[in-house]
Amino acid sequence: MLTTLAALAGLALAQQTDTTVPVRAGARLEVNNFGGEIAVKTWSKSAVRIAASHSSRDRITVDASDQLVRVKSESRRGPSQVVDYEITVPAAMALALSGVYTDISVDGSQGEITAETVQGAVKVSGGAGNVSLKSVQGDVTLEKARGRIDLSSVNETIKASQISGDVSAETVNGDISLVQIESANVEANTVNGDIVYDGTIKDGGRYRFSTHDGDLRVSVPEKSNVSISVSTFDGDFSACYPVQLVGPKTKHRFSFTIGSGSARLELESFNGDIRLCRPGQLAKDRNEDKDHDQDHDQDQEEE
Amino acid sequence: MSDTWTNRLSEYLDGDLPDKERAALEAHLPSCADCRATLEQLRRVVARAQALDDRPPAADLWPAIARHVGVVSLNARRARRRVSFTVPQLAAAAVALTLLSAGSAWLLERRQPAQRAAQSNTTPSPILTNAGTYEANPRYAAAVADLERVLAQGRSRLDTATVRVIEKNLGIIDRAIRDAQSALAADPANSYLNLHLAQEMRRKLELLRQAAVLAGART
């Protein structure tokens, strides 16, 4: 679809729009783009610069007030087709970015971010406060954010790294990777995919990881204070270090405690395996798996 | 889950436990992982209820749920409680609350006034049964069917690739639901399986709702 849109847009004359509007502290940016790209970066000026590449049939409108800068595009025949925005904003500016056939990227933000698209990737570096990133058919990637993080996809993977704050990640058909997470409240679930969590287990924290068809790999320091419950239907559990099971247990459901047990960690995989390791060891395992996969691929090629 | 405190957690959360019992329960919690887990699930359900869509539904369905929970799970001795959950009921409540937020209010809003009036004159059917029979539950099935109908009507407005992805992912969720139901048939008291089934059914409603919203949007 994007290719078709791009081809159609190419038939019209390419045009550039480049405008800068002053903004006050606390203002918010709203951008809606049906197809194309929204790329946001930051600067130290109290202004928003909007540069857009688009068809000559399309018109970019910028409505700016003290509190809100709203950017949208229109065509003489209705919705515009493909517009590529490159927008520069003050770092603390709140962002609300949305599209349909749209890739969204943000770099260097220190403000709240909402980004939603249907067919396209969302890739954000930075963000503070409420950070909500959603795509139906695209990877969702976030790094270096702090605050209340909400990540959602349907058919692709979710990756988050160097995050501090509450984290919620949900997809249906994709893996979830949460690495270098500093949080007392993390929830991640997928139906068909693996989940990796490599981050803190804080006293009194709540952590829940759940998949139907996939493996869980979670890092837990040996010196943490956490009650861990493990539930599977048809999977196995393993740990990189000895654990002492407590209470009633079956092959697929049991609990154990490390330290005082003040944090709560729930690990659930209906059909997959669950593995617990020390921090950092998961990365090592992943690299070994990658090497193993490459070896395996090479073996297959040789065969 | 047969702990004597399990059925008092709802009262605890409501602040209805007498001081002495509250203190005893708080002393018990650190040593009981099951109670802590159940309490956490209960908190999530309450949090989800508090986070419900703020559009006013045409009919407030919660009293019917509460009444039904009361009929099923409360005896006379516990009649003064607001709501008390067993784990399967808790799982059912999670789905029911999602049903309310993701389906019913949205659907009710879209119905014609005449249909609303007709509905208001009917006796609400129970939502909560137990986790293994959600799909047989008329209200859940109706919400799914309604959302599927909306999606079918708006299908032509969706990109074919998006339709394929939604159908594929609904299939993945349906398979997970069937897996959980089969497992529950063999182990109906399994709290993990109950909650897992509830989670997958909630997810199906949410994906259907998301797809229906997309179908109604400019795509």
Side-chain angles (χ1 to χ4, degrees):
Chain A
M1 184 69 182
L2 266 180
T3 313
T4 310
L5 291 174
L8 287 170
L11 296 176
L13 292 174
Q15 189 168 322
Q16 296 287 326
T17 294
D18 194 336
T19 183
T20 301
V21 295
V23 290
R24 290 190 177 175
R28 161 188 165 91
L29 173 70
E30 284 184 10
V31 184
N32 182 270
N33 185 16
F34 179 69
E37 184 179 5
I38 303 171
V40 178
K41 56 184 182 178
T42 60
W43 61 8
S44 58
K45 297 178 185 174
S46 296
V48 174
R49 179 186 174 199
I50 301 113
S53 303
H54 55 95
S55 155
S56 57
R57 293 173 185 156
D58 296 335
R59 189 167 61 92
I60 308 299
T61 60
V62 179
D63 295 327
S65 67
D66 283 352
Q67 297 301 316
L68 177 65
V69 176
R70 183 179 285 137
V71 180
K72 60 183 179 181
S73 53
E74 289 171 336
S75 168
R76 272 169 276 172
R77 295 176 185 174
S80 61
Q81 297 302 310
V82 176
V83 180
D84 290 335
Y85 287 103
E86 191 172 306
I87 300 175
T88 314
V89 302
M93 190 171 204
L95 307 173
L97 315 171
S98 61
V100 178
Y101 303 100
T102 311
D103 289 326
I104 298 174
S105 67
V106 177
D107 188 14
S109 171
Q110 292 170 26
E112 299 202 338
I113 303 173
T114 302
E116 294 187 21
T117 183
V118 178
Q119 286 188 34
V122 179
K123 186 173 184 179
V124 172
S125 176
N130 289 322
V131 177
S132 173
L133 312 181
K134 296 181 181 179
S135 175
V136 174
Q137 295 168 253
D139 291 340
V140 173
T141 307
L142 175 66
E143 63 174 20
K144 298 174 185 167
R146 58 192 159 83
R148 196 180 186 88
I149 312 298
D150 184 10
L151 308 173
S152 165
S153 181
V154 173
N155 197 46
E156 298 296 341
T157 64
I158 293 174
K159 291 180 184 174
S161 60
Q162 301 177 66
I163 306 295
S164 65
D166 294 354
V167 179
S168 168
E170 182 169 38
T171 183
V172 176
N173 186 34
D175 298 336
I176 297 175
S177 168
L178 306 173
V179 178
Q180 292 179 266
I181 308 296
E182 179 86 23
S183 177
N185 187 359
V186 182
E187 178 155 4
N189 63 75
T190 177
V191 181
N192 187 37
D194 299 335
I195 298 175
V196 171
Y197 176 75
D198 199 343
T200 55
I201 300 289
K202 293 194 171 184
D203 287 1
R206 292 289 179 268
Y207 305 85
R208 182 168 184 270
F209 305 105
S210 168
T211 178
H212 183 80
D213 261 326
D215 298 334
L216 297 184
R217 288 193 284 192
V218 176
S219 77
V220 176
E222 283 174 278
K223 289 185 178 175
S224 55
N225 296 305
V226 56
S227 300
I228 300 173
S229 68
V230 174
S231 303
T232 78
F233 178 72
D234 193 19
D236 293 321
F237 172 79
S238 63
C240 297
Y241 48 83
V243 295
Q244 184 71 45
L245 306 187
V246 293
K249 56 181 179 284
T250 64
K251 183 186 173 190
H252 297 300
R253 291 178 64 211
F254 51 86
S255 303
F256 56 94
T257 299
I258 299 174
S260 72
S262 71
R264 171 89 191 154
L265 171 59
E266 294 172 68
L267 303 172
E268 299 172 356
S269 176
F270 189 89
N271 272 333
D273 296 335
I274 298 173
R275 182 161 176 78
L276 210 67
C277 278
R278 300 177 187 88
Q281 206 160 3
L282 292 172
K284 195 177 159 191
D285 280 2
R286 283 200 302 275
N287 290 336
E288 284 173 2
D289 284 352
K290 209 180 289 176
D291 291 344
H292 180 265
D293 289 345
Q294 283 172 353
D295 291 347
H296 185 65
D297 291 345
Q298 281 173 356
D299 291 346
Q300 285 183 326
E301 282 171 14
E302 283 165 13
E303 283 170 12
Chain B
M1 300 308 297
S2 58
D3 191 291
T4 53
W5 286 109
T6 307
N7 284 333
R8 313 299 304 277
L9 293 172
S10 177
E11 286 174 276
Y12 173 68
L13 207 56
D14 287 341
D16 283 350
L17 272 186
D19 289 348
K20 200 172 171 184
E21 288 183 85
R22 180 174 52 79
L25 175 56
E26 284 174 349
H28 168 73
L29 281 172
S31 62
C32 180
D34 280 343
C35 280
R36 288 201 305 277
T38 305
L39 185 63
E40 185 59 26
Q41 294 289 352
L42 194 51
R43 281 196 173 115
R44 268 191 227 145
V45 170
V46 172
R48 186 173 285 275
Q50 288 168 342
L52 286 176
D53 195 323
D54 58 6
R55 283 173 297 182
D60 184 0
L61 303 177
W62 177 247
I65 299 170
R67 272 201 305 279
H68 188 73
V69 173
V71 169
V72 169
S73 65
L74 299 185
N75 56 28
R77 184 173 60 82
R78 296 173 185 161
R80 64 189 172 79
R81 290 186 205 162
R82 291 180 202 170
V83 179
S84 184
F85 292 100
T86 63
V87 166
Q89 286 168 342
L90 194 61
V95 167
L97 286 167
T98 303
L99 186 64
L100 292 181
S101 64
S104 297
W106 183 77
L107 288 167
L108 286 167
E109 189 178 74
R110 296 172 76 94
R111 283 190 182 141
Q112 297 301 314
Q115 287 176 289
R116 287 186 201 163
Q119 186 192 51
S120 68
N121 292 329
T122 59
T123 306
S125 59
I127 284 180
L128 301 182
T129 50
N130 69 61
T133 59
Y134 289 140
E135 277 191 324
N137 180 290
R139 196 164 292 182
Y140 178 86
V144 168
D146 280 348
L147 283 166
E148 285 175 340
R149 191 162 49 247
V150 170
L151 183 56
Q153 285 166 357
R155 185 188 169 107
S156 60
R157 291 196 293 271
L158 286 173
D159 182 67
T160 51
T162 303
V163 171
R164 274 200 305 274
V165 163
I166 289 166
E167 287 178 344
K168 175 182 153 188
N169 282 275
L170 284 171
I172 288 169
I173 297 172
D174 280 340
R175 196 179 64 226
I177 288 172
R178 284 197 301 275
D179 287 350
Q181 285 173 325
S182 298
L184 263 175
D187 188 5
N190 187 316
S191 59
Y192 160 61
L193 293 175
N194 272 285
L195 289 169
H196 184 62
L197 176 58
Q199 176 175 284
E200 299 312 325
M201 298 185 78
R202 170 192 66 80
R203 204 192 305 258
K204 179 172 181 174
L205 277 174
E206 287 185 355
L207 180 56
L208 278 170
R209 182 198 181 205
Q210 191 178 1
V213 169
L214 285 176
R218 185 187 75 164
T219 56

